[in-house]
Amino acid sequence: MWPYPKVLAHRGGGTLAPENTLAGFRTGLQFGYRAAEFDVMLTRDEVPILMHDPKRGRTLPGEGQIAETDWAQLRDLEAGAWLNASFAGERICTLEQGLDFCLEHGIWMNVEIKPGAPEQARRTGELAALAVGRRFTAALEALRDNPAGAQAATLPVLSSFSFEALMAAREAAPDLPRGFLVDVIPADWQAHLEQLQAVALHTSHKNLTPELAGQVKAAGYGLFCYTVNDAARAAQIKEWGVDAFCTDRIDLIAADAW
Ligand code: G3P
Ligand code: MG
C-alpha cells in the first residue's frame, strides 16, 4: 500500500532552509533525509518551477502572480535571504533542476502539483506529470513487464489538492502513482480516489481521526499526512495506521523515525 519512504522533508528541507530550493534538498541530506515533498507551479510561459505561494512577496521579493510572470523574470530573484542571511544568493529552481538533483542524490519525491491559478490547473498537472514521467521511463517499462518489481518503490508520487490537475496528470502519465490531497477528508473521498485511480489519500494530520484513518486503510489505500512537527504526534498517527508523513522539523524528527 505504501512501498515508499515514510518520513519526508516538507517543501524540500522543511523550515531549516528556504522552501522549494536546491538548498532545501541539500539541507535535508545533511540531516539524513532522502525523501522530500515539494510544490510545482507553472510560470506564465509554462515553465514548471518549484514554488509554493501563487504570488511573490514572501519567499520571492517583489509583487505579482507567478502565473502572470515569465521564468526569465523569476530566475534571478533572491530566494534564500528571506529565511536567513546564510542562504543569500539561493535562487528558485525549475522542476527539471529539482528532478536532476533528487535523482542524482537518491532523494525520493512526493511531487505536489500546485496550480498558481485555476485556469492553469490542467496544464500544471499535465506538464508536471510529463516531466516526471520522462525521468522514469526505464522504471515504468520494467514495471510493465513485472508489476511487482522493486522499481515500484522508486516511483515518485504525484499529489495535488486540485482534482482537475491530478486528472490531467493521470491522462498524461497514467502509470505514475497519484495521491489526492485534502485538508479535511470529505464524505465522498473514496469516489474521488477511484476516479483518479489514486494509490493514496494525503491529508492534514490536524483533521484526521483514528476512525477516518481506519476507513482509508480498510479500503486499501495509502495514507499520508502533512505536516507533522512533533515526534509524539508522529507516533500517535502511526498507531492510527498512517503510512507516511512530511515534516518541517527535520532537526527534531529523524529520517528513520518510522
Ligand atoms: O503535500 C502536503 C503539503 O505540502 C500540503 O500543504 O501548503 O505545504 O503545500 P502545503
Ligand atoms: Mg506542498
Side-chain angles (χ1 to χ4, degrees):
M1 264 184 244
W2 190 272
Y4 316 111
K6 297 175 186 306
V7 185
L8 281 60
H10 183 224
R11 302 186 193 172
T15 45
L16 272 71
E19 60 196 52
N20 290 307
T21 65
L22 298 186
F25 296 131
R26 281 192 200 100
T27 304
L29 288 173
Q30 285 165 10
F31 282 83
Y33 274 70
R34 284 182 176 265
E37 181 268 0
F38 57 83
D39 306 295
V40 176
M41 196 173 285
L42 289 188
T43 61
R44 176 170 62 185
D45 49 344
E46 295 195 330
V47 178
I49 62 170
L50 270 55
M51 178 57 55
H52 181 275
D53 293 8
K55 60 182 184 182
R56 288 161 64 177
R58 185 176 66 91
T59 64
L60 280 182
E63 295 178 348
Q65 301 291 316
I66 302 299
E68 295 168 6
T69 310
D70 288 342
W71 168 237
Q73 272 71 60
L74 297 169
R75 63 186 305 165
D76 295 326
L77 295 175
E78 171 61 50
W82 67 273
L83 183 71
N84 187 304
S86 66
F87 289 108
E90 189 66 27
R91 301 290 181 254
I92 57 171
C93 66
T94 62
L95 172 59
E96 295 291 349
Q97 291 169 322
L99 291 167
D100 280 345
F101 190 94
C102 288
L103 288 169
E104 186 185 337
H105 293 90
I107 299 172
W108 182 81
M109 296 171 273
N110 170 357
V111 180
E112 188 193 332
I113 300 165
K114 187 135 9 239
E119 58 275 16
Q120 279 189 333
R122 279 193 56 83
R123 196 73 176 137
T124 312
E126 178 188 357
L127 292 180
L130 288 174
V132 173
R134 275 194 295 273
R135 302 305 186 100
F136 286 86
T137 311
L140 290 168
E141 269 173 23
L143 283 167
R144 255 173 238 128
D145 296 336
N146 174 20
Q151 292 91 348
T154 70
L155 293 181
V157 170
L158 304 180
S159 58
S160 189
F161 288 106
S162 167
F163 182 89
E164 222 185 335
L166 216 45
M167 191 56 94
R170 178 190 150 184
E171 290 162 19
D175 296 333
L176 285 176
R178 288 168 295 283
F180 187 44
L181 259 165
V182 290
D183 183 39
V184 177
I185 299 178
D188 58 353
W189 65 270
Q190 197 165 350
H192 284 100
L193 264 61
E194 283 168 11
Q195 284 173 288
L196 292 165
Q197 293 182 358
V199 299
L201 186 70
H202 295 206
T203 193
S204 169
H205 76 95
K206 292 181 182 165
N207 302 315
L208 190 64
T209 63
E211 292 73 26
L212 283 166
Q215 286 170 26
V216 175
K217 294 310 299 172
Y221 290 103
L223 180 57
F224 175 89
C225 277
Y226 67 93
T227 301
V228 184
N229 297 327
D230 175 80
R233 178 62 170 166
Q236 184 179 41
I237 61 171
K238 188 180 187 192
E239 286 294 309
W240 296 354
V242 171
D243 294 298
F245 67 97
C246 61
T247 182
D248 279 331
R249 295 306 303 267
I250 61 174
D251 54 335
L252 297 182
I253 297 182
D256 61 357
W258 280 19

